[in-house]
Amino acid sequence: MATSKQGATQRKSAADAAATDGGNADTREYERRLNALLRQIHDAPTFDDVLPQLEAELLSLLRAERLTVYQRGRHNREIVSRYKTGDEIKEIRIPVGPTSVAGYVALTQEPVRIEDVYDSAELGRINPHLGFDRSVDQRTGFRSRSMVVVPIINGEVLLGVLQVLNRSGGGAFTDTDLERARDIARVIAQKYRYDLRGTRGPFDHLVSRRRISRERLDELQNRAAREGTRTVALLLEEERLPPEVVGESLEHYYQVPFLAYDPDMEPPAELLNRVKRSYLRNNLMAPVALEGSTVTLVLDNPNDTNRIMELQQFLGGYNFDIRVGLPDDILRFLGTQVDSAAGSEHNLEDLVGKLADGEVEEELDEAGDDALVDENEPTVVQLVNRLIVDAHKLGASDIHVEPSKGTQPAVVRMRVDGVCRTMLRIPASHIQAVLARIKIMSRLDITERRKPQDGKISVKLKGRPVELRVATVPTVNGESAVMRLLASGGALPFAKLNLSERNHRETAELISHPHGLFLVVGPTGSGKTTTLHGVLGELNTPDRKIWTAEDPVEITQAGLQQVQVQPKIGFDFAAALRAFLRADPDVILIGEIRDQETAESAVEASLTGHMVFSTLHTNSAPETVTRLLDLGLDPMNFADSLLGVLAQRLMRTLCGECKQSYTPDAEEWAHLRHAYGEDEFDRLGMSREAATLYGPKGCNKCGNTGYRGRTGIHELLVATPEMHKAIARSAPIHEIRDLAHSEGMHFLMQDGVAKILQGQSDFAQLRRVTAE
């Protein structure tokens, strides 16, 4: 019996090996044929010339009955096929839009695979406006069934569409068929770029015509990226290039016609009834004409299909005639006055032009009377309002208004996901007025410019209150201002704090105790308040009385009694804690332990039957223990009261829309092993060859940074009986650290590496927030 089983196993292994060899042989044969096709296309004068000779081979490779290749000519409003398999039709013109499958792919630049193009329900699942024109089938007698349609793209530029019809032998096209169509589309794209004399970059045509040197262009592009401005603006203002010359270069790159500003063209009213001018200004696009079901759309980046598809959803099932335009011209089409000779004032005018009616309401006085901010108010007022609106939309935590030396423009930066981004530049002639407006809104003394001042701004964005803390500081170049946007949303659920399995389990166990002290520690802006409110959300039940003392109260929860401390009148954290103990609490949150008095009061409260939560500005969980002992706490009482310490940082996460996978090289893998601890890393049982990491790419969703949002990395010290003994005898930090690690604590760096291996972020972002 054993011999029979062994023989069967050997036969199965041989069969599997033969199947694998057969698959590899098929792949090699396909690649050989594809390379031969590439050479034939490359050697031909144009793709249209060689297509008839390649028809049979293309159909064989694609396993299809028919195909159509559409080209996007630079001055064509449609995509055009000048050759179609079959005898009857020699030219087809398709508008770019959802009225046809090929037009929809040209619009979205995304491939589609359809089982039956006559099935309107299947088409509707792709796009509610998508249709299939059956008239061609009716004229030719050919019945279209399954279809694969892929865009022909070189770089980021759409050059055409490849449409493949009816799989040989029947049935639907497979994923393999789709990938083969994409392979062939890439081959065609390379040829089309040469046929159409396309350039690799938006301004390469300027270099080829010797209007600017490559070195100077690189310098301007780097400067534009560094300063947050546009290369187009620098070419027009500093190089004095005519707009039509820059437009011609854009035309060569994007392969769509350039449209200069024409005062006789104005966005049709019926389109503006469906989409606001403010939205169009923010996205730098304008629907400037409507002919039948075709909208002439001008925008600064025709490759941005996300913007185009979003507008298509607003407007409905229109086709689009895409044009490229200069940003200033697009704003002029939308009725914004732009002074091209304004030089440094250009960005100020652009920003004002993007204001939307009714988006900001400012609370003007203590009585709460509101005044609507509209675009009839002075430019500076609109600018400050716009800064707040844009910061809120971006999810920024801070707005920095920074003066520069002499007549150089001031810089406005916003901190998004912990990183500052330059947003715009304000002319030196306007910066004092902007700062005065900020001080008026925050009720500060506008005549006092020698001393720092602190204030508060309360505004409403679309009916929802938003609060900003304002700090002005005099510098050698003049006053600067920082506006911090305070979180106005509810608490993040405990389950969404992204704690590791061990940290989540242990934290849930610790906070279930009826009394004790639990601390969350980390530097400013590390998410301590968010974590504590997530924990309080777990404890917030009708049978518990919860008091919080915070500075400021950023997150509110129903069922909590929340207090704003005011140190200027003597109502600090220690005073609030004393008051809470007289108000029958079960759970107490003290925003921060800053001194010995507050620390001793927190320990005493926890020893007298209360659950106490608080924060400290320390770098690690073990360091927190020694810091509190250094404040003068009694080691025995502190040991008895402490339940645990959670240290954390916020690490930027990769954008889920565009992050790209890769296999790490040996050097990167060695860095990860070293950061985690080589012995412990090896126990994870992961190999470099089988691991998949992710890196940033950049898209419109993440502002082309590759990162979107932040997540926590943590280390949790649990006060076990052994830890109590070590604290009671004031053990040094290295002993506490080693003991916590031996009892299961993973360090911040280790938790970060684990989340990198899960594809949440990369090593560069981990190193930004950890110093280990």
Side-chain angles (χ1 to χ4, degrees):
M1 181 68 71
T3 304
S4 175
K5 286 184 178 179
Q6 184 177 8
T9 301
Q10 291 173 344
R11 286 192 297 275
K12 183 178 184 302
S13 299
D16 289 345
T20 300
D21 290 343
N24 291 336
D26 288 344
T27 300
R28 288 193 295 270
E29 176 61 12
Y30 166 73
E31 291 175 350
R32 183 194 64 76
R33 294 171 65 187
L34 184 65
N35 289 330
L37 189 72
L38 173 61
R39 287 192 296 272
Q40 287 179 274
I41 292 175
H42 179 75
D43 292 341
T46 69
F47 181 75
D48 286 346
D49 292 335
V50 75
L51 179 56
Q53 288 76 45
L54 299 180
E55 174 192 343
E57 177 65 2
L58 284 170
L59 291 173
S60 175
L61 276 176
L62 292 168
R63 295 183 286 207
E65 293 179 4
R66 290 195 176 184
L67 63 85
T68 309
V69 182
Y70 295 94
Q71 186 179 43
R72 179 181 181 174
R74 192 181 305 158
H75 297 286
N76 291 330
R77 297 178 58 171
E78 309 103 334
I79 53 173
V80 180
S81 170
R82 294 184 178 84
Y83 182 88
K84 182 180 186 298
T85 53
D87 299 325
E88 296 82 2
I89 299 175
K90 296 299 181 181
E91 181 172 286
I92 302 176
R93 290 181 174 269
I94 298 292
V96 176
T99 56
S100 68
V101 179
Y104 176 78
V105 170
L107 180 67
T108 63
Q109 298 185 26
E110 293 290 337
V112 298
R113 181 156 50 96
I114 301 170
E115 290 189 15
D116 185 359
V117 295
Y118 279 49
D119 185 348
S120 57
E122 183 179 3
L123 298 181
R125 286 192 293 271
I126 299 173
N127 183 280
H129 302 290
L130 186 59
F132 176 72
D133 185 3
R134 304 183 185 185
S135 63
V136 175
D137 281 8
Q138 292 168 356
R139 291 201 303 269
T140 63
F142 178 80
R143 169 61 163 90
S144 301
R145 294 186 301 274
S146 59
M147 182 182 288
V148 164
V149 188
V150 297
I152 298 173
I153 297 175
N154 185 264
E156 298 178 346
V157 179
L158 177 77
L159 299 177
V161 171
L162 171 63
Q163 180 172 280
V164 184
L165 282 168
N166 294 4
R167 194 172 192 268
S168 299
F173 287 103
T174 65
D175 288 338
T176 300
D177 297 324
L178 176 61
E179 285 306 312
R180 289 190 173 190
R182 296 177 90 163
D183 288 341
I184 291 172
R186 282 190 284 268
V187 172
I188 297 172
Q190 294 178 24
K191 184 60 176 176
Y192 269 174
R193 189 176 71 83
Y194 287 108
D195 291 352
L196 298 171
R197 298 181 181 178
T199 56
R200 295 184 179 275
F203 309 108
D204 285 4
H205 187 64
L206 299 175
V207 176
S208 65
R209 289 191 57 188
R210 299 184 179 178
R211 302 302 297 254
I212 189 172
S213 68
R214 171 61 63 184
E215 294 75 16
R216 177 60 174 162
L217 176 61
D218 291 343
E219 178 188 337
L220 292 180
Q221 289 180 316
N222 292 335
R223 195 174 121 206
R226 189 172 60 251
E227 297 177 354
T229 187
R230 300 187 186 98
T231 304
V232 168
L234 298 178
L235 290 169
L236 295 174
E237 295 168 11
E238 296 193 10
E239 297 301 305
R240 304 292 182 185
L241 292 177
E244 61 271 18
V245 171
V246 178
E248 183 185 9
S249 183
L250 297 176
E251 185 174 284
H252 274 268
Y253 173 67
Y254 291 110
Q255 291 297 308
V256 297
F258 168 67
L259 181 62
Y261 174 65
D262 183 348
D264 294 329
M265 299 181 75
E266 186 176 351
E270 60 186 285
L271 299 181
L272 292 183
N273 288 336
R274 303 187 186 189
V275 59
K276 288 185 175 181
R277 287 181 188 260
S278 59
Y279 168 84
L280 297 171
R281 292 186 188 112
N282 284 334
N283 287 279
L284 281 179
M285 56 184 177
V288 296
L290 177 61
E291 258 183 70
S293 62
T294 300
V295 175
T296 299
L297 178 67
V298 57
L299 67 166
D300 69 324
N301 180 6
N303 291 343
D304 191 343
T305 56
N306 290 328
R307 274 192 287 170
I308 296 172
M309 286 304 298
E310 192 170 65
L311 181 64
Q312 192 268 334
Q313 291 175 1
F314 285 124
L315 297 182
Y318 286 101
N319 297 316
F320 285 113
D321 177 19
I322 305 294
R323 307 294 181 92
V324 63
L326 302 179
D328 283 1
D329 287 352
I330 296 171
L331 293 176
R332 288 189 180 95
F333 277 122
L334 296 170
T336 301
Q337 296 299 316
V338 179
D339 182 8
S340 298
S344 60
E345 296 185 13
H346 183 73
N347 283 335
L348 181 63
E349 295 294 332
D350 274 358
L351 191 65
V352 172
K354 297 177 184 178
L355 283 172
D357 291 343
E359 283 193 291
V360 181
E361 295 179 357
E362 181 201 337
E363 296 181 0
L364 294 179
D365 55 35
E366 297 295 335
D369 294 320
D370 294 338
L372 184 66
V373 176
D374 61 36
E375 53 188 37
N376 294 319
E377 292 191 312
T379 300
V380 170
V381 174
Q382 295 182 44
L383 172 59
V384 175
N385 292 333
R386 186 75 245 171
L387 288 177
I388 296 171
V389 171
D390 286 354
H392 188 264
K393 286 181 178 178
L394 286 171
S397 59
D398 303 89
I399 306 168
H400 299 259
V401 182
E402 302 167 339
S404 300
K405 185 177 181 180
T407 59
Q408 296 179 12
V411 177
V412 176
R413 298 193 292 166
M414 294 183 187
R415 189 180 296 277
V416 181
D417 294 338
V419 178
C420 282
R421 299 183 191 173
T422 299
M423 303 305 294
L424 77 156
R425 294 178 178 271
I426 300 175
S429 58
H430 286 70
I431 186 58
Q432 288 190 8
V434 170
L435 287 165
R437 176 60 185 169
I438 293 172
K439 291 165 80 172
I440 289 171
M441 293 178 72
S442 50
R443 297 181 176 87
L444 300 179
D445 183 356
I446 64 172
T447 64
E448 178 57 74
R449 301 177 183 174
R450 299 169 299 171
K451 296 189 301 184
Q453 297 187 71
D454 297 322
K456 181 177 72 173
I457 296 175
S458 296
V459 297
K460 289 182 180 178
L461 302 180
K462 296 185 178 178
R464 300 183 62 182
V466 174
E467 189 172 283
L468 299 92
R469 288 301 175 93
V470 179
T472 63
V473 181
T475 74
V476 293
N477 296 321
E479 277 189 297
S480 69
V482 178
M483 295 180 281
R484 165 154 288 192
L485 283 78
L486 303 181
S488 58
L492 187 69
F494 178 68
K496 294 188 177 181
L497 294 177
N498 200 22
L499 295 166
S500 67
E501 182 182 354
R502 181 258 179 187
N503 290 345
H504 186 278
R505 182 183 66 253
E506 293 287 356
T507 301
E509 168 64 23
L510 293 176
I511 66 175
S512 68
H513 285 231
H515 56 83
L517 177 63
F518 186 86
L519 302 171
V520 178
V521 303
T524 301
S526 58
K528 300 185 295 296
T529 301
T530 299
T531 296
L532 281 176
H533 272 277
V535 169
L536 290 183
E538 286 289 290
L539 303 179
N540 187 8
T541 56
D543 60 322
R544 287 191 178 95
K545 180 63 177 286
I546 303 176
W547 286 93
T548 78
E550 302 168 73
D551 183 22
V553 177
E554 297 185 45
I555 301 172
T556 58
Q557 295 191 59
L560 272 58
Q561 295 295 301
Q562 297 178 257
V563 173
Q564 169 78 53
V565 299
Q566 300 182 57
K568 291 182 180 179
I569 62 172
F571 186 52
D572 55 12
F573 287 121
L577 182 52
R578 289 194 299 270
F580 291 169
L581 291 175
R582 299 190 295 270
D584 189 29
D586 294 305
V587 178
I588 297 171
L589 167 63
I590 297 299
E592 185 183 346
I593 293 177
R594 297 175 177 171
D595 51 41
Q596 183 180 359
E597 181 185 3
T598 307
E600 289 177 342
S601 298
V603 169
E604 181 182 347
S606 66
L607 292 174
T608 55
H610 305 97
M611 187 68 184
V612 180
F613 296 94
S614 192
T615 72
L616 272 86
H617 287 98
T618 51
N619 292 321
S620 68
E623 180 188 326
T624 304
V625 175
T626 58
R627 175 77 64 84
L628 287 170
L629 291 174
D630 290 343
L631 278 178
L633 290 182
D634 179 81
M636 293 293 293
N637 287 341
F638 180 38
D640 289 341
S641 69
L642 185 66
L643 293 173
V645 182
L646 181 71
Q648 70 177 59
R649 300 287 190 278
L650 289 180
M651 175 174 65
R652 295 173 83 192
T653 52
L654 293 163
C655 174
E657 299 289 331
C658 65
K659 68 178 182 180
Q660 48 191 4
S661 61
Y662 67 95
T663 300
D665 58 28
E667 182 180 2
E668 183 175 8
W669 195 248
H671 283 315
L672 289 173
R673 292 182 70 249
H674 177 74
Y676 196 88
E678 296 191 4
D679 292 340
E680 294 179 77
F681 190 88
D682 291 340
R683 287 197 289 271
L684 296 178
M686 298 185 68
S687 67
R688 181 181 69 82
E689 293 77 10
T692 300
L693 300 186
Y694 291 84
K697 181 182 179 183
C699 66
N700 291 327
K701 294 288 186 181
C702 60
N704 291 315
T705 64
Y707 301 95
R708 193 179 182 197
R710 290 189 289 177
T711 191
I713 58 173
H714 312 88
E715 64 180 28
L716 177 64
L717 180 151
V718 178
T720 61
E722 289 300 317
M723 185 62 69
H724 282 157
K725 294 176 184 178
I727 296 173
R729 58 183 173 82
S730 300
I733 185 172
H734 66 85
E735 185 177 331
I736 291 174
R737 177 186 172 94
D738 292 344
L739 176 59
H741 189 48
S742 68
E743 292 179 337
M745 182 184 82
H746 285 89
F747 300 123
L748 287 168
M749 181 67 80
Q750 291 178 314
D751 194 47
V753 170
K755 287 169 181 173
I756 290 171
L757 295 174
Q758 294 167 13
Q760 298 180 29
S761 190
D762 58 19
F763 195 61
Q765 296 308 312
L766 177 60
R767 291 303 301 268
R768 286 177 62 94
V769 297
T770 57
E772 298 179 46

